[in-house]
Each structure stands twice: as structure tokens, then as C-alpha cells.
Amino acid sequence: MPGIVIVGAQWGDEGKGKATDLLGSRTDYVVKFNGGNNAGHTVVVGDEKYALHLLPSGILTEGVTPVIGNGVVIDLEVLFDELEALSARGVDVSKLRISANAHVITDYHRTLDKVTERFLGKRSIGTTGRGIGPTYADKINRVGIRIQDLFDESILRQKIEGALDVKNHMLTKVYNRRAVTCDEIFDDLTSYVERIRPMVGDTGLELSRALDAGQTVVFEAGQATMLDIDHGTYPFVTSSTATSAGAALGSGVAPSRLDRVIGIVKAYTTRVGAGPFPTELFDEWGELLRKQGFEFGTTTGRPRRCGWNDTIITRYASRINGLTDIVLTKLDVLTGIEQIPVCVAYEVDGERFDEMPVSQSDFHHAKPIYENLPGWSEDITGARELSDLPANAQAYVRFLEERSGSRISAIGVGADREAIVQVHDLID
Ligand code: GDP
Ligand code: IMO
Ligand code: MG
């Protein structure tokens, strides 16, 4: 019975939230397994638009149990703000489950994120400033604070003091900031204890039992393959495992329980923050994609960098994640473009690359080699079957499918929940 993983195949914002929501009504659990409130998922349901950051997108579907897995880093203030905002709009948030092993983002993590970025100057990553990197760094350094620590005041104090030992030296002596006291952090974190207590448990066990009982679990990634700490464009990446392997790591379910891996691919490409992006457009075409696709960050409001679709990246994402299906999103945004370039290879100093160059410097210097595909001008937002799409749009989809090496099972033709062409069933 299905354990279904949803991952971003590019640099994020491919439409993972909408894809998760699409599976919602046939799903029992939706687990967020990595990242934190650096993510931003917009889901449109009728006239209502929801922007989710920390909570899994499945929370919008009645009957689904949303889970925040052990691989997530949690900002408690954001958690309760988001829960309250959804409750106020009539969404039932009472079923939320949170792993006792998830790590907590504190005030000093947010401060360190911002000051390290400032110190990096020209080499900055362009992080979301939410404290994600420093919190994962503490986890790996074994000085992090976990959700379960909130329930033991003496342990919590010890852990905060241990973490502040070095942090306060860094904050005051390196970054010229004020020192943080154990009491301020302790008071802040413990102010949430009674509210969070009923939500916390062994979510790995709960999810494994659900799979044993034949229920459907969707594992929803934040960020994307090219932002993955191991497989992305390091160091211009996030600090977690955003690829399919992270679904097991970050939820406490064995890798053998994952049956399907769905990669979300935008019909073109976008990126937020710094780092290489071979098909990036600096001309009026980039402006057009940004305007037609409304490419502004859900989290930070930053304009997204835009470029043509890059099939080298999709093929790489297919391999790294073991994609069984692709959901192609935002095909409607390309309507009206006469000739649509698609990147099929790179050229680096006169040499052709048909796969991702292993050297980061080569990738930085990669020039896209394009094939131009004929566009279409008909409005496709009402299409619900492949045959409803104009022949050129079908040919564009087929071309991406052939190059990516995974079948395209659904195609987004608009932001709304219903605006989708179903090609193959995503749950069976
Ligand atoms: P995520 O981070 O991967 O969940 O993606 P975001 O929500 O950050 O960005 C995707 C944006 O595209 C959102 O504003 C969605 O409402 C919108 N969207 C998703 N699918 C489609 C589609 O097929 N067509 C159009 N026009 N918009 C879409
Ligand atoms: P969703 O889930 C796009 C980018 C940031 C920055 C880098 C590191 O909506 O697809 P971080 O704050 O994580 O340390 O920043 O990663 N980034 C995203 N870009 N979509 C996201 O999430 C992102 N989450 C982080 O812009 O370049
Ligand atoms: Mg997003």
C-alpha cells in the first residue's frame, strides 16, 4: 500500500503544495520531512488562497492527518501563528502530529543566519533568514534542542546553556552582537509547552503502523533536488535532505516503505537566492515568465529568477530521486510564446555536457544548448485530458518526458485545485 513521496525536481517553488493538495482527498497522512518555514507553498481552493510555510499542505484537506517529521526544524512562534491563522479561516488543525525528535529554531539561530549572511558579503547564499542553516548545524554538532527537551525543564536549561557557551562568544566577539541569556530562551520556548504537548509523539511509529494498516501516506518535501545539501548546487543550497531519501530519514519510516516518488517539474525554471542557474534569462523573456507565472517568493516576496526548462536537471532529478512520475506544472504560463527554447545540453569551454558536470565550476560556466519547440496560443486552462491540449503543447510535454526519463502523469494548467490534466493515476 502506498507510501508516496513528493519532491521538487528543480530549485523549489515547482508547485509541490498544489500537487500534495491534489492527492489530499485520497490520502490518510501527509508528512513534512525536511526544512522548516523557509518553504512557501501556495494552494488555491476556489476563491481561497492559502500560503503555508511550516505546516504540511495536506492540512487543508479534511480527514488527512498532517505530520511534522523528525527531519523538520520548527520555529514555535511560526507554528502557532500558522495554526491560529488557519483555524480562524475554518480549517480543522486539531489532528496535527509533531515528532518528539524534531529540532527547534531559537532566536539565536535566526540571528546567526542573518549575521553570517552579512559577513559572507558577495559570497552570501541569499537564505530566507529563518535560522534554518544554524539550526541544522547545531543538530549535526550535537548541541541542538529537540521538541522532547521542552518537557524536561532541567534538561532544557542544560541544553540551552551548552549551546550558548560557544554561541555567545561568536555573537559578541565575532559578530559584535549582544549576548543571549539562558532565561530569555528558556522562557520563550517553555511558553509553548502546554499547547504543543498533546501534538507530540513517536510519529515514526504512528506512520509505520498506518502503512501496515494499508493507509496512504504522502511524504511532502520542502525545497528541491537542486537545493539538497548533498545533491544540490552546494554551497548554494539549503541545509537539509530535500530529495526522496530524506522522506525516510526525516520521518522515521524505512526506505523500503516508499512505493512511488513523484517529482514536480515546472514547465520552465525558477530559482530564489544566489547560485548557478544555466538557463537564467536576463532579458524580456525572463520578465515575461516572472509576470505571467507570478514568480515572487511566497516566503520572502523576492522576485524569482526565471529561465527556460532545463532537461539536464530534470534527468538528474529523475535519477537522484528515483522518480516514478512527474507532475509538470504551470504549462499555461507558456501559452502565447511562439518558439519555446528547452535546454538539452550544456557547453563548457567548448566541451559538450549531456549530463550534470561533476565540477561546480563547470556548472557555473555552463552555457545552455537549446532546442526550440513550436508554441501554442490557445487558452489551455480548461484542459482536463491530454487530448484537450493543442498539438504543440502535447508535443512539448512529450519532449520533456522523453528527455527526463520519467513519465509525466499530470499537467498543471492553472493555479486552481481543479486546473489539472490527469494522464496516469498517481495513487494505485
Ligand atoms: P511549492 O513551494 O513547490 O509548493 O510552490 P509555490 O507554492 O511556492 O509556487 C508555485 C506557485 O504556482 C503557486 O503560486 C501556485 O498557486 C502556482 N501554481 C501551481 N501549479 C500551477 C499551474 O499549473 N499553473 C499556474 N498558473 N500556477 C500554478
Ligand atoms: P519551497 O519549499 C525556493 C533557498 C533560499 C536560499 C537557499 C538557502 O517553497 O520550494 P535557507 O533559508 O533554506 O537556508 O536558504 O535556499 N530556498 C528556497 N528557494 N523555494 C524554497 O522552498 C526554498 N527554501 C529555501 O532562497 O537560496
Ligand atoms: Mg515555494
Side-chain angles (χ1 to χ4, degrees):
M1 268 299 163
I4 302 171
V5 187
I6 291 187
V7 293
Q10 295 155 323
W11 276 285
D13 305 323
E14 298 90 349
K16 298 176 290 294
K18 182 184 158 182
T20 307
D21 179 64
L22 177 73
L23 298 182
S25 59
R26 296 162 69 194
T27 302
D28 299 294
Y29 286 80
V30 173
V31 194
K32 178 180 168 94
F33 62 80
N34 74 305
N37 57 314
N38 48 347
H41 309 301
T42 302
V43 182
V44 181
V45 186
D47 294 336
E48 296 283 319
K49 190 170 172 178
Y50 298 92
L52 299 163
H53 298 285
L54 179 55
L55 295 170
S57 306
I59 201 158
L60 298 177
T61 309
E62 223 181 290
V64 170
T65 303
V67 179
I68 295 181
N70 59 276
V72 174
V73 289
I74 302 178
D75 185 321
L76 292 165
E77 187 182 349
V78 171
L79 174 70
F80 287 104
D81 281 354
E82 236 174 83
L83 286 174
E84 273 160 30
L86 287 181
S87 286
R89 292 175 72 179
V91 177
D92 175 16
V93 298
S94 63
K95 293 174 102 173
L96 178 67
R97 306 291 301 144
I98 297 176
S99 167
N101 291 345
H103 280 245
V104 177
I105 301 177
T106 70
D107 192 46
Y108 50 82
H109 294 118
R110 284 187 295 266
T111 305
L112 282 168
D113 192 358
K114 289 178 191 132
V115 290
T116 43
E117 277 283 278
R118 215 169 299 148
F119 264 60
L120 278 170
K122 276 210 322 269
R123 290 177 295 117
S124 70
I125 312 289
T127 72
T128 58
R130 303 296 193 260
I132 307 295
T135 308
Y136 280 113
D138 275 6
K139 172 177 174 174
I140 301 300
N141 275 329
R142 295 161 294 186
V143 291
I145 294 167
R146 295 192 294 174
I147 291 289
Q148 58 179 283
D149 300 329
L150 302 176
F151 308 122
D152 184 327
E153 295 201 346
S154 134
I155 290 273
L156 181 61
R157 271 193 190 283
Q158 277 177 37
K159 295 214 167 172
I160 299 171
E161 271 162 13
L164 286 181
D165 250 2
V166 177
K167 296 277 176 332
N168 272 335
H169 284 295
M170 275 166 57
L171 284 170
T172 55
K173 293 177 186 151
V174 180
Y175 296 117
N176 205 19
R177 305 285 294 215
R178 75 174 179 86
V180 181
T181 68
C182 177
D183 279 345
E184 0 175 346
I185 303 295
F186 180 87
D187 291 347
D188 179 33
L189 297 184
T190 50
S191 69
Y192 301 100
V193 166
E194 289 321 315
R195 274 191 288 171
I196 204 171
R197 194 188 295 276
M199 304 172 190
V200 178
D202 184 346
T203 48
L205 179 65
E206 290 167 28
L207 292 167
S208 299
R209 284 189 174 153
L211 287 166
D212 288 345
Q215 293 190 298
T216 300
V217 179
V218 171
F219 302 83
E220 180 193 15
Q223 294 74 53
T225 306
M226 301 306 281
L227 289 172
D228 180 276
I229 185 74
D230 284 276
H231 303 295
T233 47
Y234 190 90
F236 302 101
V237 291
T238 191
S239 301
S240 69
T241 300
T243 42
S244 58
L249 278 177
S251 70
V253 159
S256 54
R257 311 302 302 263
L258 310 174
D259 302 295
R260 300 280 283 270
V261 183
I262 304 172
I264 316 301
V265 176
K266 214 180 270 195
Y268 48 99
T269 313
T270 62
R271 171 161 210 175
V272 188
F277 176 3
T279 62
E280 182 169 17
L281 294 163
F282 300 95
D283 55 12
E284 67 273 19
W285 291 110
E287 270 308 316
L288 182 118
L289 292 175
R290 190 172 306 114
K291 205 163 139 243
Q292 289 194 180
F294 198 68
E295 295 297 351
F296 297 90
T298 312
T299 301
T300 57
R302 287 180 285 181
R304 295 174 182 151
R305 300 158 64 191
C306 296
W308 301 121
N309 190 283
D310 184 338
T311 58
I312 303 280
I313 282 175
T314 319
R315 192 158 62 248
Y316 177 71
S318 282
R319 171 163 60 86
I320 292 286
N321 294 292
L323 297 186
T324 56
D325 303 82
I326 284 176
V327 174
L328 184 70
T329 61
K330 298 191 117 170
L331 188 64
D332 53 301
V333 174
L334 299 180
T335 299
I337 301 175
E338 232 168 272
Q339 292 283 324
I340 311 170
V342 174
C343 173
V344 295
Y346 302 133
E347 192 236 290
V348 184
D349 297 331
E351 190 187 342
R352 183 184 164 109
F353 284 75
D354 290 300
E355 300 293 338
M356 278 285 290
V358 68
S359 142
Q360 180 79 7
S361 311
D362 284 346
F363 191 61
H364 268 270
H365 296 117
K367 300 248 177 320
I369 298 173
Y370 287 119
E371 253 181 57
N372 284 324
L373 303 192
W376 59 94
S377 55
E378 300 90 331
D379 179 359
I380 60 167
T381 52
R384 296 295 174 267
E385 287 180 33
L386 206 52
S387 57
D388 297 337
L389 292 175
N392 284 351
Q394 289 187 38
Y396 185 81
V397 171
R398 242 184 344 262
F399 186 85
L400 296 190
E401 183 169 73
E402 278 160 17
R403 295 275 163 171
S404 69
S406 306
R407 68 178 188 175
I408 293 180
S409 297
I411 303 156
V413 290
D416 202 70
R417 208 179 230 180
E418 277 75 43
I420 198 102
V421 171
Q422 293 274 7
V423 187
H424 302 288
D425 198 358
L426 290 167
I427 304 181
D428 52 30

